[in-house]
Amino acid sequence: MEYRRRRRPVRAARRRGRGSGSFAGTLFCIVLLAAAIVYLIGVSSAGTWVAKNVVAPVFKTLGIAQPETETLAGDAPARDGAEGLAAPVTKTLRMPARTYYLLQMGVYANAENAEKQAAALQELGAGGYIYQDAGKYRVLAACYLNAESITQVRTRLSGEGLESTSFPLEQTATEWIVTASESQMEALSAALTQLGALPDTLYNLMYSFDREKKTVSAGKEALSGTLTALQAAYGDLRAAVDGQSDNADALLRCMAEILEQLGALASFEGEDSTAFTAKLKYAQLAAADAICRFAANMSA
């Protein structure tokens, strides 16, 4: 995304055999004349055409290479004025620190045992998301945005004879200093904004779906706006910066991982509300996990 230029050194003129003083003087005059033409026409509207079709052939005939300006691969030259493209700008994009409170129903050293409990939880309408942590497999039921909410849920579960734990998942504060065009900057900023709001949006969808006992069709309709906005931000970002920055590509991978989960929700078939809410909780947990991994990698 950065705009950089470098200049190739002027190659020396090819050596020629000795000639008469008259030829040397003529050669010198021609070079001076060509240089004068470059100077005089450089500011005129016809300058580019003349330099390309008149001056350049003169230099080529004389065996002299003109200085060239090279744009590095992957860079886009900044333009201004009549061409309407602004020069690159530098801004600091940020992701704030925050904590997600994950409802943990079990922790295992064996992946198979964790998968069994995850499947059992999903049959009851819980997320059943498996989070790998230092050789352990944590089975998670849902993701909450504050300590008060998860405390209330754990108290209710305890009254029903179910033991649970609050597992905090930390999102590292990240600052991303970017030099890019205005369009690239807008795409990056929009993507980070969508990503930052997503866990809250999915939580509200999950909460309203369960509390209001919505149908699957209503749940999918409520999800459609969020999915469309995230898809648009992903498409704009990919078009603007794909392959030009490792950090931007990491953001694209994070968004693609989340879009895969939301796409599965959007294509959910049938009206089994228990299965749908389980997938919704799973998608929210997966999104929080993906965002935290992205933030950790960025800060590192």
Side-chain angles (χ1 to χ4, degrees):
M1 288 181 290
E2 291 186 350
Y3 171 57
R4 297 167 295 160
R5 282 187 167 183
R6 68 184 179 199
R7 293 186 177 274
R8 291 179 179 171
V10 180
R11 294 192 296 272
R14 292 195 296 266
R15 293 189 177 184
R16 299 177 179 272
R18 293 182 179 179
S20 65
S22 174
F23 174 77
T26 301
L27 175 62
F28 180 72
C29 290
I30 292 174
V31 172
L32 286 180
L33 176 61
I37 293 173
V38 172
Y39 175 78
L40 291 174
I41 69 176
V43 295
S44 70
S45 59
T48 300
W49 185 91
V50 177
K52 179 179 179 182
N53 296 282
V54 178
V55 179
V58 170
F59 277 112
K60 185 175 181 181
T61 301
L62 297 176
I64 301 172
Q66 300 180 76
E68 297 178 6
T69 299
E70 177 183 342
T71 301
L72 299 183
D75 294 342
R79 306 172 188 266
D80 53 20
E83 294 178 292
L85 296 178
V89 294
T90 299
K91 293 184 180 179
T92 300
L93 303 179
R94 294 179 174 86
M95 291 183 66
R98 67 180 302 179
T99 303
Y100 303 101
Y101 298 87
L102 311 184
L103 184 63
Q104 178 178 292
M105 303 304 294
V107 57
Y108 300 89
N110 183 280
E112 184 177 352
N113 291 335
E115 289 168 359
K116 288 179 180 178
Q117 188 184 30
L121 287 172
Q122 289 168 0
E123 290 180 359
L124 298 174
Y129 184 79
I130 299 175
Y131 178 82
Q132 296 186 40
D133 176 32
K136 298 178 181 179
Y137 299 88
R138 301 180 185 275
V139 183
L140 308 171
C143 172
Y144 297 89
L145 306 179
N146 55 67
E148 292 75 17
S149 295
I150 196 170
T151 298
Q152 293 174 5
V153 172
R154 290 189 61 218
T155 299
R156 186 170 68 251
L157 290 175
S158 180
E160 297 174 0
L162 296 174
E163 296 300 321
S164 63
T165 302
S166 176
F167 177 68
L169 183 62
E170 304 292 341
Q171 177 180 309
T172 308
T174 304
E175 287 192 351
W176 192 356
I177 301 175
V178 182
T179 299
S181 68
E182 284 286 356
S183 61
Q184 290 174 326
M185 195 71 72
E186 289 175 3
L188 285 165
S189 181
L192 289 174
T193 297
Q194 288 290 330
L195 208 60
L198 190 61
D200 302 74
T201 301
L202 293 178
Y203 175 81
N204 291 332
L205 287 173
M206 174 197 73
Y207 184 78
S208 64
F209 184 85
D210 288 348
R211 184 177 182 180
E212 299 171 19
K213 301 185 183 304
K214 292 183 177 181
T215 63
V216 171
S217 298
K220 291 167 65 175
E221 183 178 356
L223 176 68
S224 63
T226 300
L227 178 58
T228 299
L230 190 63
Q231 287 173 331
Y234 174 82
D236 290 345
L237 180 62
R238 185 170 183 177
V241 301
D242 191 16
Q244 299 185 40
S245 163
D246 290 341
N247 291 336
D249 287 346
L251 176 56
L252 285 169
R253 288 193 296 272
C254 176
M255 296 176 74
E257 185 176 336
I258 295 171
L259 282 170
E260 183 179 359
Q261 296 296 331
L262 299 187
L265 271 173
S267 60
F268 184 91
E269 297 181 354
E271 286 293 333
D272 187 340
S273 58
T274 300
F276 184 81
T277 192
K279 287 188 176 296
L280 182 55
K281 294 180 178 72
Y282 187 98
Q284 187 205 9
L285 285 159
D289 184 15
I291 293 169
C292 287
R293 282 187 277 110
F294 168 72
N297 290 336
M298 288 296 299
S299 63

